[in-house]
Amino acid sequence: MRKIFFICFLLLAFCPFVIAQSQKKPFAVLDDYIKKKESGWEDSRIKLSKLFQQERTKLKSGFETELWKYLGESERKHYWVALFLDSDAYLHGYSPMPELALNIRLKGVKLEPTKLSGLTAQLNPEKPDVRAIVRKLSMLLTAAVSAEGLDKTDLAVSLQKEFESLLSNNQDLESYLPILSKYKRCLYEKIRSQQNLCQKDSSAETNEGVIAKAAIINSKAISIPKPDFPKATSRQNYKGVIRVGLVIDEQGNVISAKAFEGPMELYDAAEKAALQAKFTPTFFFGRPWKVTSEISFNLR
């Protein structure tokens, strides 16, 4: 009798939780993760893409219908979800869906960019929505590449022309365009010439889609000292890289360095070296700008 009573108690206790979980809207787990971590799509892209692929499996035949509902009018969701559908870095072994990714980008291109306020809007009186312009450029660029990858050349040319027209009026934003994989950069160059032979690389480029990160900052480096590894530690015992997240101030000085990948025994030395690095300042419309980025120390 006690055993039956205990089982009933557990059922009553956990039923509300189970029901609540089952009633959650599809893809709500992505928004919940962002809210919990207080991060954005870019910062949490690897984890979010894994959660996305899990939802994709769970929804089965209802996947596309529920996905369009979830995307709504958010250009940011359109941008990242399209990448989750056709970028090797975010597929996690799942099959790519390039046609769906293109359709999402084509809708994203037509969306009204989110209006911004505060300091970003004050950067330039004539161009208040700096990040909105960057997002529009990013969507046009990736949509053009996506169309070319599907041999939709006329559409690719049209999107490329719109992209380059907008960029010509905002040339100071060129360094804030998204990072493309080597394959996709090749596709972009192929759009007009149709002469390139683009082959996919087997290695995933985990920075794909990211704005103004290490690939750009490294080219702005004035000096990056080598880490002074502890004498008791033989560097030859380690392979790979140590990645260090940075905050770089308006003068190009590193004001924060935090290692997050590689042998933990070498974190301290890598962080000390990173703090001594110097970069050329990053500008938005002629004004120096504080940026976040990362650098890598190769251990091979």
Side-chain angles (χ1 to χ4, degrees), residues 175 213-222 224 279-280 293 295:
S175 61
K213 288 289 184 181
I216 293 170
I217 285 296
N218 281 343
S219 67
K220 297 168 72 70
I222 296 173
I224 302 178
F279 299 86
T280 55
S293 186
I295 56 174

Side-chain angles (χ1 to χ4, degrees), residues 36 39 73-74 79 94 113 126 140 142 151 159 177 180 184 187 200 220 229 244 247 257 259 294-295 297:
K36 180 182 177 182
S39 62
E73 300 298 308
S74 168
Y79 175 75
Y94 287 78
E126 297 177 5
L140 284 166
T142 53
D151 294 323
L159 290 164
L177 294 175
L180 298 179
K184 290 183 179 178
L187 286 177
K200 274 203 169 186
K220 297 168 72 70
F229 293 114
V244 184
V247 178
E294 65 180 57
I295 56 174
F297 294 108

Side-chain angles (χ1 to χ4, degrees), residues 207 213-221 223-227 241-248 254 256-261 270-279 292-298:
N207 270 343
K213 288 289 184 181
I216 293 170
I217 285 296
N218 281 343
S219 67
K220 297 168 72 70
S223 63
I224 302 178
K226 292 183 179 180
V241 298
I242 299 178
R243 294 172 64 194
V244 184
L246 308 177
V247 178
I248 303 168
V254 179
S256 175
K258 185 70 175 176
F260 61 92
E261 186 176 302
E271 289 169 357
K272 286 179 179 177
L275 284 168
Q276 297 174 45
K278 179 72 176 177
F279 299 86
T292 59
S293 186
E294 65 180 57
I295 56 174
S296 300
F297 294 108
N298 199 328

Side-chain angles (χ1 to χ4, degrees), residues 201-217:
D201 193 339
S202 58
S203 59
E205 299 187 33
T206 56
N207 270 343
E208 187 169 1
V210 172
I211 307 297
K213 288 289 184 181
I216 293 170
I217 285 296

Side-chain angles (χ1 to χ4, degrees), residues 52 56 63 81-87 91 96-97 100-101 104:
F52 174 81
R56 173 179 162 183
F63 165 65
V81 165
L83 273 170
F84 293 172
L85 289 168
D86 70 357
S87 170
L91 283 168
M97 301 181 74
L100 179 57
I104 289 172

